[in-house]
Amino acid sequence: MSTRILKDFQDTAVARGIEVFTGAKALLDATPNDAASRAHTINHNGYLLLEAPTGSGKTLIAGNIVARFSHVENAVWFWFAPFKGVVGQTLGFLREEFAGLRLRELDEDRAADSSRRGDVFVTTWQTVATRVTDKRNARKDGELNPSIDALVRGLRRQGFRIGVVVDEAHHGFHGETLAAKFFHEVLDPEYTILITATPDDQDIKEFEANLGIQELRRTTISRQAVVDAGLIKEGIRCVAYFTDADKRALVDFEAIALEDGLAFHRKIRQTLFENGFKLTPLMLVQADSSAGVKRIQKRLKTLGLTDRQIAVHTAEEPDPSLLALANDEEREVLIFKMAVALGFDAPRAFTLVSMRALKDPDFGVQIVGRILRVHRRLQGRRLPELLNYGYVFLSDPEAQTAIDVAGQRINQVRTEYAKTSPTTILVRVGERPEVRVVNSAGQLEIFQRPPPSAPYAAIEKVNKAISEANRPQTMLNLVLDSLTAPSAMMLGGTRDRGAAAVALPDGSFRFRYRRKEEAPSRFKSQVLPADFKATEEECARQFMVSARELLTAVAGRVKVQKRTLEVFRHQMTFEDLGVAMSPEQAAEEAERVLTRSHAFHAKELREALMKRMREILDCNSLEGAEDPEKVEGFLDVLLASHPELLRKAQRAALIAHAQLVEAEEWPSEMVSREALPKSRLNGYGVIPAGMNSWERGFVGILDRDSSGAILWWQRNPPHKPWSVRVLLNDGRGFFPDFILGVKARPKENAALLADTKFAFELGKEQAKILAEHQAYGRVLILHQIKEGQWAIVRFHPDDGRPVADTDFRIADAARY
C-alpha cells in the first residue's frame, strides 16, 4: 500500500482496477487448462487501460493496483518505462511509495527460484525486445543469471502468474513492434495495465488490434478532476509570434520567445516570493539541435543568467542525475531536446520555451504535460491567478496549432471508471467447464475456440504479396490483347495507322508509334554562348526596388503579432509588437540568396549591389547613402525579404546573352517495349511511359478538351537532343514537363511550355516561376489544387512568396 493518501478519483480508480483483476483471477482459477480457454479469459478480462493527464498520478494508481492485488494473487510483475532515462525515476518512486513491493534488477537478478509474489522488475522494451535472444544481456543466459525468457518459464513452473505494467503504452506498442512480439511470445501475461496520457481513438484501436484484446477495461480521468484535486494547474497559456511571410527572415523568433519566456519566469519567481512561497520556479527550454543548445546557453548568459543557474540534458550530454537536477533550486533553467519530454517529472516548471518545429499533437500533449503539475509545496494553497497557469512560448508560430489540438484532445477525456460486468463466464458442458462470451444483450455466445497462437496472431498481420503466374507472351495472346487493351493496335474496330508491333529475334516485341503530321518536328532551345561571362555589374543594373520595399528596409522595424492561446478554454488574445529587425538574421538569409546562383560570384555581386543600393538611396533622398554599414544593412533586408528581386535581376542579365538554337528533329516514331495507352492529342497518339500521376492527370485534362483550343501536346523529356531547354537565373537550364500547341497563341509553333509542380515553395523550384523562353514565352508553372483543378503558380505581389494563384483555364491558354 502507498505511503501517500490518495485523492478520491485515485482511490476509486485503484478500487475498480483491483475489482477487474480480481474477477479475472476468479475466472482463471476455474478456467480449463487449455490455451484457448485461457486466451479467451485474458483477452476479455485481463487488460486495464489507465488514461489520465500528466500529473494525475498514473504511476501512483498503477502502483497501488499492483501492491494491493499482489496480496491476493501469486504474481510477479514487469514494469516497462518508456525510456531508459526514466527507469531510475520510476524505481525511486516505487521504492519510496510502496514498501511492500520488492524491486529487482533484470541486469543482476533473474533467478526464478528466489521470487515471491509482489516482485517487480522495472525495465524498458529496448532492453528485452530484440530479434536475437543473445543480443542483449537480459536475453542472454549466464552462468549464474538465466535469460529473461528462462526466468519467465521458471516463474510459470513455480505457479506464478505474470503481470505487466506499460507506461506510455501508445509508444511501446505502436504498430507491429518487437515489443508486442516479446509481450505475447515471452511474457504472455495474465494481467496488463496500460498507462497513457490521452491517446486518440486510433491509439485505442491499435492497442486492441496489436494486443489481440477483445474487451479493454478503461479507466479515464478528466483534466478537470485532476485540477479540482489540486494536482495540476488550471490551464496553459501558449504564446506564438506571427508576421508577414516576407518579414519572417528579418525576425529572430528564437530570441523573442526566449526573452519573453525568461521575463515571465522572473515574474513568476517574484510572485512566489511576494506571496511567501519558498520555491524557485524552473524554466524549461526545448532546443532544436546541439548547435541550438549552445546558442541558447550563450543567449541566456547575455540575459543575466550564470552557468550555475543553467542545466543541460540532451542525448549528447545526458545528466545522470536528471531528477536531482530538476529538484535543485539553484538551477533555474533546464535546456533539453525532445527525448527528455517523455516521462520527465519537473513540478517546479511554470514556463517552457520551445525552439522545435512542432506538428504532431502527440508531442503537443507531452509538452503541455511538462508544466502542468502543481508542486507539493503549493498544493492545497490559495494561489494568485498567475501561478494557476503554465506558460509555453514558441519560436515556431505553426507549432501553436499542435498545442491547440493537444488541448482539445485532453479536454475531450471524461472521468469514467473501469466496469466489472463480466463478458466471459464459465459454464459446464457435460462434465467439462468451458469459457463462454456474454454479449451486450446478456446472451451467451457459442464461439469456436481460437488456436493457442491466437493472441499473437492478432498482431501478426499478413502482408505477403500473392504473385500470379505471368501469362506466356505468345503471338496469339498479343493479338488478343491488341483487340481489347486501351492501348491496342486495333481501336474502335479500325486499325490505328500510327501504331505497329514488331517482333524481335529474342521473342519480345517493340511497339512503334509514328509522330502525327500536325505535331511540329522541331523546337528551339535556350543556351548560353561557350565564352559567356555574366558580369555582376549587369545584374546590379537590373536590380529594381519599389518605394514600398525601400521604405520597409529603411524603417528597421517589423510588425509582429503576439497571439496568446488559452489552451483548454480555446480562447485567443492578440497584441501587436514593433520588433527591431535582426541584422544577423537578415545577413544570414541575404548570404543564402546571394550564393544560390553559380553564374555570379557572391562577393563581387554584393559589392555591385552595394553600389546600386547607394544610387537608389541617393535618388530617393534617403539618409544612409554615405554610411557603408547602413547601405549593407538595407541591402540585406531587401535580399532577405524579397529574394525574387535578385532572381529577376539575374534572370534579366542572363537573358540578354541567351541564344536560341534549333534543336534536333523530334523522332519520327516513339518506340516502347510495352503497348502504350491511347491519347487523343499527344503528338504520337499515346501516353508516354514513365509519367507520374500528376502528369497523367494533367494530360487527361488536355485530351478531354472539346473546344479545339489544344492542338497537340508533347512530353518534353530532359536532356534529349530534341528537347526544349529554358535558362534559369543561375545559368542552369531546365526542361519543362510539357509543350502544348494552343490555337491562336501568338508564339512560334503556337507553343506553350508547362511544368507541373507539387512542392513549388522549395527554393530550388522558385527560380522556375520566373523562367521565360524568347520564342515560347513564360513557362506556366502549375499546381494541382484538387483532382481535375490546377492553379498557376506566381509570386505574390505584396510579399514575394510563391502562391498557387489563378485557376488554369484551357480557354485562356492562348494568352498565358
Side-chain angles (χ1 to χ4, degrees), residues 775-791:
Y776 310 129
R778 178 70 63 85
V779 177
L780 202 63
I781 305 298
L782 299 169
H783 178 75
Q784 186 173 237
I785 303 299
K786 60 182 181 180
E787 187 173 353
Q789 183 181 354
W790 295 78

Side-chain angles (χ1 to χ4, degrees), residues 113-403:
D113 54 6
S114 63
S115 300
R116 69 187 189 199
R117 67 168 57 182
D119 282 0
V120 178
F121 293 92
V122 179
T123 185
T124 63
W125 293 116
Q126 293 86 348
T127 302
V128 299
T130 174
R131 287 187 175 89
V132 183
T133 56
D134 63 352
K135 194 79 171 178
R136 309 205 178 169
N137 288 336
R139 305 293 302 275
K140 183 179 179 181
D141 282 312
E143 292 182 8
L144 301 175
N145 213 13
S147 68
I148 187 174
D149 307 54
L151 167 63
V152 173
R153 290 193 297 268
L155 291 172
R156 296 280 187 205
R157 284 195 298 270
Q158 295 182 60
F160 287 104
R161 286 179 176 148
I162 303 298
V164 170
V165 180
V166 186
D167 200 359
E168 300 289 352
H170 55 295
H171 290 279
F173 285 135
H174 183 70
E176 293 181 6
T177 61
L178 288 171
K181 183 178 177 70
F182 177 84
F183 177 89
H184 278 294
E185 291 188 346
V186 178
L187 295 177
D188 192 18
E190 283 82 6
Y191 312 106
T192 302
I193 302 174
L194 302 167
I195 304 174
T196 186
T198 60
D200 58 22
D201 290 340
Q202 187 58 41
D203 287 328
I204 301 299
K205 290 176 182 176
E206 284 194 16
F207 284 156
E208 295 174 332
N210 292 343
L211 301 182
I213 300 172
Q214 299 298 314
E215 182 72 20
L216 182 62
R217 312 291 177 158
R218 294 179 64 174
T219 287
T220 57
I221 306 298
S222 71
R223 180 188 66 86
Q224 193 58 49
V226 189
V227 171
D228 293 342
L231 297 179
I232 63 174
K233 299 179 180 74
E234 184 178 323
I236 298 291
R237 290 172 177 166
C238 177
V239 180
Y241 310 88
F242 296 80
T243 191
D244 294 337
D246 62 321
K247 307 298 190 304
R248 288 177 187 167
L250 308 177
V251 178
D252 190 341
F253 290 104
E254 183 178 291
I256 296 174
L258 198 60
E259 289 175 18
D260 257 11
L262 185 59
F264 239 88
H265 165 76
R266 287 169 169 163
K267 187 176 180 180
I268 288 166
R269 184 180 61 185
Q270 182 66 24
T271 303
L272 285 165
F273 175 78
E274 290 173 351
N275 285 271
F277 299 118
K278 295 182 179 180
L279 176 68
T280 302
L282 179 68
M283 181 171 86
L284 302 174
V285 183
Q286 182 186 36
D288 61 345
S289 64
S290 298
V293 170
K294 298 186 184 304
R295 188 172 61 248
I296 291 165
Q297 284 177 295
K298 183 177 179 181
R299 283 180 165 170
L300 287 172
K301 289 176 186 177
T302 63
L303 294 171
L305 292 174
T306 65
D307 284 329
R308 179 60 191 161
Q309 290 174 302
I310 303 169
V312 174
H313 181 87
T314 67
E316 295 81 9
E317 300 178 61
D319 193 312
S321 305
L322 184 58
L323 284 178
L325 181 155
N327 293 319
D328 180 359
E329 295 192 37
E330 288 188 32
R331 306 284 194 169
E332 290 199 40
V333 178
L334 172 61
I335 304 171
F336 69 96
K337 289 201 292 187
M338 184 62 79
V340 83
L342 289 171
F344 178 62
D345 191 358
R348 282 199 298 131
F350 279 84
T351 57
L352 187 149
V353 181
S354 177
M355 309 305 180
R356 291 290 295 261
L358 190 67
K359 308 296 182 186
D360 189 344
D362 283 340
F363 286 125
V365 170
Q366 296 295 336
I367 290 299
V368 167
R370 300 288 66 81
I371 56 173
L372 264 181
R373 290 178 173 86
V374 173
H375 197 278
R376 279 193 178 188
R377 295 180 210 167
L378 304 180
Q379 290 179 14
R381 310 287 292 273
R382 185 180 296 275
L383 302 175
E385 183 184 10
L386 184 75
L387 303 181
N388 283 322
Y389 288 85
Y391 302 88
V392 177
F393 298 85
L394 303 171
S395 67
D396 177 15
E398 303 304 321
Q400 195 173 56
T401 300
I403 299 288

Side-chain angles (χ1 to χ4, degrees), residues 469-635:
N470 291 325
R471 191 166 48 145
Q473 294 298 306
T474 64
M475 177 56 79
L476 175 61
N477 287 336
L478 288 169
V479 172
L480 290 173
D481 286 344
S482 73
L483 295 173
T484 57
S487 56
M489 295 156 54
M490 298 290 291
L491 296 165
T494 61
R495 183 173 178 80
D496 182 356
R497 295 176 180 269
V502 178
L504 299 180
D506 62 1
S508 63
F509 284 82
R510 291 292 183 271
F511 294 85
R512 299 179 179 276
Y513 303 92
R514 290 198 300 273
R515 190 180 70 242
K516 296 178 179 178
E517 291 181 2
E518 60 267 30
S521 61
R522 285 183 183 271
F523 294 95
K524 291 178 179 176
S525 204
Q526 279 184 331
V527 297
L528 288 172
D531 57 351
F532 165 76
K533 176 65 172 72
T535 67
E536 287 70 23
E537 289 74 16
E538 286 178 281
C539 179
R541 281 197 297 273
Q542 299 290 343
F543 190 68
M544 304 297 177
V545 182
S546 71
R548 177 181 175 181
E549 292 157 350
L550 189 61
L551 288 173
T552 299
V554 173
R557 299 190 72 80
V558 177
K559 181 180 177 181
V560 172
Q561 187 179 74
K562 179 179 178 179
R563 300 181 191 175
T564 302
L565 171 70
E566 291 255 5
V567 172
F568 299 122
R569 294 181 182 174
H570 202 56
Q571 297 174 343
M572 186 85 76
T573 56
F574 304 89
E575 179 184 354
D576 286 334
L577 309 174
V579 176
M581 293 180 186
S582 168
E584 295 81 11
Q585 294 278 113
E588 287 179 15
E589 183 61 26
E591 191 63 23
R592 280 193 286 270
V593 172
L594 283 167
T595 54
R596 279 176 188 159
S597 173
H598 301 291
F600 301 93
H601 190 278
K603 184 178 179 181
E604 294 178 10
L605 180 57
R606 177 181 278 278
E607 291 174 357
L609 290 171
M610 286 272 291
K611 182 179 178 181
R612 173 67 175 149
M613 194 71 212
R614 283 192 292 270
E615 294 173 357
I616 294 172
L617 290 169
D618 228 8
C619 185
N620 287 273
S621 303
L622 293 173
E623 294 182 2
E626 303 306 318
D627 186 336
E629 287 190 7
K630 285 187 177 180
V631 173
E632 187 169 28
F634 297 154
L635 177 62

Side-chain angles (χ1 to χ4, degrees), residues 757-769:
K757 282 281 170 256
F758 175 71
F760 63 84
E761 305 94 336
L762 297 179
K764 66 179 183 179
E765 302 294 344
Q766 291 183 22
K768 297 176 183 179
I769 300 172

